[in-house]
Amino acid sequence: GVLPVTETSHVIQASMTAGDRDVLRQAGPTAAVLQADRVALPLTVRSRRPGDRLKPLGAPGSKKVQDLLVDRKVPYAERDLVPIVEDAEGRILWVAGVAMADQARVTRPEAGVVILQMKKDQA
């Protein structure tokens, strides 16, 4: 599906597919590839909240979203505009354009993946 993020004039597009390791090449600053069986659907998009935490991909422990945004040098005025994608269990899976959660990393792409892409809204 596609969800508009009106505050930033972007959309977040989600799709599911099965494939091989080549699907991981789609990940980047504006995209995330998540292991489908580690994601509780439906996904929601929201802004950050005080106390939000996630374990970034490859990091040794969890980190506050606020600290992650500061570390990645996201300007103060833009921090509340960064879309946060969470699953039905309230777990943060992707801080769009900043970091993906380690818990949703792809280990078996052939079992299915969820591809999230943040794009400029063409409307």
Side-chain angles (χ1 to χ4, degrees):
V2 176
L3 179 71
V5 182
T6 55
E7 297 83 3
T8 64
S9 70
H10 285 87
V11 295
I12 300 225
Q13 182 177 12
S15 60
M16 290 185 74
T17 188
D20 55 22
R21 296 262 171 216
D22 288 342
V23 75
L24 297 177
R25 290 192 185 124
Q26 294 184 41
T30 60
V33 181
L34 315 171
Q35 185 72 51
D37 60 5
R38 294 182 178 188
V39 173
L41 298 176
L43 301 179
T44 57
V45 178
R46 63 173 176 82
S47 59
R48 69 184 175 129
R49 297 179 187 146
D52 276 347
R53 296 185 78 85
L54 83 151
K55 181 179 188 268
L57 186 63
S62 71
K63 193 165 199 161
K64 287 183 180 179
V65 170
Q66 164 65 26
D67 294 341
L68 189 64
L69 295 171
V70 170
D71 292 350
R72 301 288 169 91
K73 301 187 181 347
V74 176
Y76 177 79
E78 296 175 19
R79 292 179 195 157
D80 285 333
L81 301 177
V82 175
I84 307 273
V85 177
E86 69 179 9
D87 71 1
E89 296 176 3
R91 299 175 298 184
I92 295 174
L93 302 175
W94 188 39
V95 179
V98 179
M100 189 184 102
D102 191 70
Q103 70 193 30
R105 74 184 177 286
V106 176
T107 56
R108 297 173 295 111
E110 66 281 355
V113 295
V114 175
I115 300 170
L116 303 174
Q117 294 181 309
M118 183 171 62
K119 299 178 178 183
K120 268 295 206 195
D121 191 2
Q122 302 300 320

